[in-house]
Amino acid sequence: MSSSDGAGVENPAGRLAAMAATGEVDVVILGAGVNGAGLFRDLCAQGVSCLIVDKADFGSGTSAAPSRLIHGGLKYLETGEFGLVAQSTLERNLLLKNAPHYVSPLPTVIPIFSWSKGMLAALRTLFGSTSAPRSRGAILIKIGLMIYDFYGSRNQVMPRHRMVGRRQALSEMPALNPSIVATGTYYDATISQPERLVLELILDGLQANAASASANYTALVASANGMLTFQPTGQPGNGGAFSVRPKLVVNAAGPWIDDVNALLGAPSKMIGGTKGSHILLKHDELVGSLAGRMLYFEADDGRICLVYDYLGLALVGSTDIKADNPDEVRCEPDEVDYLLESVRTLLPGMAFGREQIVYAYSGIRPLPASDASVPGLISRDHSAPITEPDGNRPFAVISLVGGKWTTFRGFAEEVANTVLERLQRSRKVTTQSMPIGGGKDFPVDAVARASWLARAGAETGASEGRLDQLLSRYGTRAMQIAKHGSNGEGHLPDSDSYGKSEIDYIVRNEFVEHLTDIVMRRSTLAIGGSLTSRNLQEIAAIAGRALDWSTARIAQEVEAAVDELEGRNLMRLG
């Protein structure tokens, strides 16, 4: 449970202590992934006092393991989830406007290997078949893209789709399998730092409501007589147990929902998750060939896969396997083989091997319990079932089941409206056009960007190049970071991108508790493949000075980070 001061937030540690002293709070949100964080921001903006708690770091579970796409869900058209596509395309367009520092357009290319295949299979799936469509042909894809454009027309910010024949497709992307007959190109979006967006939602909520509080690395240990008791986890000195008496509880624990409901005295069987794994390859030839586009393609088993340029690496995903142990999830060797073979088949002229992997990650999608034989056909829509109070539990429990990254704001709005109704409050403001974190006043064109950089240079004394780097990484919160400490301290030893004072700012202002919080979630050092042993040691030293870690604690943090990164994320630290 970090005691650091959140950026722009007055005394967050003191807030938690004050809340614990009175024990009073309107809503407790258990789980600080994107759905919980989105709801926290929305309720705080309505004047509802909230406590958001996570047993690990903010945004460290499923929300840290997506394909890093903000998308409308083209494939959901096959299962007839038109409402989900309508909401997803709208939310995608809103995120492009509200979080332009992290969310950007992504041209997406679908390789097509037949003209008419898949029509009957798609109709069967649309009407409830439990077998996945295979070999989606050009006619089917054309129809799908036309519907997709229609749903994406609300708050439209990107071009409509286009189809091209084999000759033009191969001239535009020669590496594609020559068996294609055409390609379809449409636009979705990518999110560069999903973990930071979760953090910014929490910071925004804290800034909006001084009566709210947050706590990471804090576990729910008891629920009795209307009181929830929490215990900070990890290192000694993190504070003692505390209790609060909520009027209502929201279970946003993702794949852990059923475990948390059992602790709350509201046993359930709501979750039937599937595992999704991704690998990142150092493959300059592939990244160059992609030229900023994503390939969205069908693997041999009918599963939809993707590959695109993420931070100069080729991100390849994803698997979809039924799984139910989120604490032990990792990318297994057979999944690596599956993903590598998928891109080999699509791009036969390129070489792919395990030695190209610089990072891997995996997570459990908290999907609703389902008996579907094909994981890909389990709905990605969301629901919020309510367990009403009983004799031993005076508060209702709302469980956030399912959903996808893209729709977190809309999901939060739906649940917030339910909460407000139960608390007999009214909505004060909509989040539909509310900027997120560093997306506020973000300069979206070249003229505005040049003006912002000039103003920031005058205020901070930092170079234009450095400010441009920080603006791309943090949005307009870059100003606070540039003003922090001495910008003359230089960069990390093996990085020309991350500065020492920048790391110090993160440690002191962004609820850091462990070294992995910094390298895996507050920055892209790990996933971007640029983390080295020397950088890890330097970051640990910076964190140690800021958080008063002992020499033994610093060594322990480094060892734990190395074990996780090399064991679970397949990194090779140089």
Side-chain angles (χ1 to χ4, degrees):
M1 183 173 63
S2 174
S3 60
S4 61
D5 288 340
V9 177
E10 185 178 347
N11 192 15
R15 290 189 192 194
L16 186 61
M19 183 181 288
T22 66
E24 300 300 322
V25 64
D26 291 331
V27 177
V28 168
I29 300 172
L30 301 171
V34 70
N35 285 333
L39 178 61
F40 179 74
R41 179 186 71 142
D42 196 329
L43 288 175
C44 287
Q46 314 314 323
V48 175
S49 66
C50 295
L51 170 63
I52 187 168
V53 176
D54 200 291
K55 69 172 186 174
D57 191 21
F58 301 138
S60 62
T62 299
S63 294
S67 295
R68 297 175 182 262
L69 298 177
I70 299 297
H71 67 107
L74 178 65
K75 67 179 181 179
Y76 308 142
L77 293 174
E78 287 182 332
T79 50
E81 296 182 274
F82 300 112
L84 178 58
V85 175
Q87 183 181 38
S88 299
T89 51
L90 172 62
E91 295 297 335
R92 176 201 65 194
N93 292 349
L94 293 177
L95 274 169
L96 283 161
K97 295 177 179 178
N98 294 333
H101 56 318
Y102 292 148
V103 181
S104 55
L106 181 65
T108 301
V109 177
I110 306 175
I112 305 170
F113 291 88
S114 73
W115 289 105
S116 58
K117 283 185 179 179
M119 297 290 288
L120 290 177
L123 286 171
R124 286 197 301 269
T125 301
L126 183 64
F127 289 105
S129 171
T130 57
S131 61
R134 299 285 296 274
S135 302
R136 302 157 178 92
I139 296 173
L140 185 62
I141 289 171
K142 176 68 176 178
I143 293 170
L145 291 177
M146 290 172 65
I147 298 171
Y148 201 60
D149 282 344
F150 170 76
Y151 280 120
S153 60
R154 288 186 296 169
N155 289 272
Q156 184 172 347
V157 291
M158 296 184 292
R160 301 173 73 84
H161 83 277
R162 68 184 182 97
M163 304 278 289
V164 300
R166 177 179 182 274
R167 180 179 300 177
Q168 184 174 342
L170 290 175
S171 70
E172 293 177 358
M173 195 174 285
L176 282 174
N177 189 316
S179 300
I180 63 168
V181 300
T183 61
T185 299
Y186 68 100
Y187 283 79
D188 262 327
T190 179
I191 178 168
S192 59
Q193 298 188 71
E195 304 89 346
R196 288 200 59 84
L197 191 140
V198 171
L199 173 69
E200 290 191 357
L201 288 169
I202 293 171
L203 290 171
D204 285 354
L206 292 170
Q207 195 163 21
N209 191 331
S212 292
S214 64
N216 57 350
Y217 293 102
T218 301
L220 173 67
V221 293
S223 173
N225 302 316
M227 299 288 286
L228 299 183
T229 300
F230 297 94
Q231 176 66 57
T233 61
Q235 297 294 323
N238 280 7
F242 64 93
S243 299
V244 294
R245 185 184 300 277
K247 297 174 183 174
L248 190 148
V249 171
V250 176
N251 182 351
W256 293 274
I257 277 178
D258 292 321
D259 295 336
V260 170
N261 276 340
L263 273 173
L264 293 171
S268 64
K269 181 54 182 170
M270 297 180 180
I271 299 298
T274 70
K275 174 186 177 186
S277 294
H278 301 75
I279 56 177
L280 287 103
L281 309 177
K282 177 63 176 173
H283 201 307
D284 294 341
E285 181 186 8
L286 173 56
V287 169
S289 176
L290 291 170
R293 297 164 291 189
M294 178 172 77
L295 287 171
Y296 186 73
F297 63 99
E298 185 178 355
D300 287 342
D301 62 354
R303 165 72 186 159
I304 297 296
C305 293
L306 55 90
V307 56
Y308 69 97
D309 173 2
Y310 177 76
L311 303 176
L313 302 173
L315 189 155
V316 184
S318 73
T319 56
D320 201 0
I321 303 165
K322 285 195 173 184
D324 59 5
N325 188 355
D327 290 311
E328 299 297 328
V329 66
R330 66 186 64 213
C331 184
E332 300 293 349
D334 59 332
E335 293 178 282
V336 171
D337 292 339
Y338 172 86
L339 293 171
L340 289 175
E341 187 56 37
S342 296
V343 287
R344 283 192 195 106
T345 301
L346 181 68
L347 304 163
M350 293 184 181
F352 295 94
R354 289 174 174 269
E355 70 282 356
Q356 296 166 327
I357 298 174
V358 298
Y359 196 81
Y361 63 93
S362 190
I364 301 289
R365 305 175 182 95
L367 305 180
S370 170
D371 58 2
S373 59
V374 180
L377 295 181
I378 300 174
S379 175
R380 266 56 172 176
D381 207 348
H382 54 254
S383 64
I386 301 173
T387 306
E388 297 293 351
D390 62 23
N392 299 315
R393 177 178 38 79
F395 50 79
V397 178
I398 303 178
S399 299
L400 307 190
V401 177
K404 53 200 289 288
W405 235 102
T406 306
T407 56
F408 78 84
R409 189 213 63 85
F411 191 10
E413 185 175 64
E414 294 169 19
V415 177
N417 287 340
T418 299
V419 171
L420 290 169
E421 182 179 354
R422 285 184 166 248
L423 296 177
Q424 297 183 319
R425 312 268 188 92
S426 57
R427 176 170 286 276
K428 296 180 178 180
V429 62
T430 178
T431 58
Q432 187 160 342
S433 58
M434 185 182 289
I436 299 171
K440 185 177 182 180
D441 300 323
F442 186 81
V444 294
D445 58 46
V447 173
R449 191 178 185 95
S451 175
W452 189 94
L453 291 172
R455 186 174 72 257
E459 289 188 29
T460 66
S463 70
E464 181 176 316
R466 177 60 175 155
L467 287 168
D468 191 63
Q469 200 173 55
L470 293 175
L471 181 61
S472 295
R473 186 175 292 154
Y474 304 106
T476 52
R477 293 185 67 239
M479 185 79 80
Q480 299 167 351
I481 296 167
K483 289 178 178 178
H484 178 76
S486 169
N487 284 289
E489 291 180 12
H491 291 94
L492 297 175
D494 296 321
S495 172
D496 59 0
S497 174
Y498 278 91
K500 295 179 183 179
S501 64
E502 177 183 358
I503 299 297
D504 185 73
Y505 177 91
I506 287 171
V507 174
R508 294 179 186 275
N509 293 279
E510 295 187 350
F511 305 105
V512 165
E513 181 65 30
H514 293 290
L515 184 57
T516 49
D517 300 338
I518 306 168
V519 301
M520 296 180 69
R521 288 174 288 279
R522 307 298 187 272
S523 74
T524 57
L525 281 160
I527 195 171
S530 61
L531 186 64
T532 64
S533 294
R534 285 206 307 165
N535 281 349
L536 195 64
Q537 293 284 351
E538 181 64 32
I539 294 166
I542 294 169
R545 288 191 294 271
L547 301 177
D548 197 25
W549 287 349
S550 66
T551 302
R553 170 73 187 273
I554 291 173
Q556 179 186 3
E557 289 289 335
V558 170
E559 181 181 3
V562 170
D563 286 348
E564 180 164 359
L565 292 168
E566 293 187 343
R568 180 168 292 192
N569 300 109
L570 307 185
M571 282 196 78
R572 295 181 294 274
L573 289 168

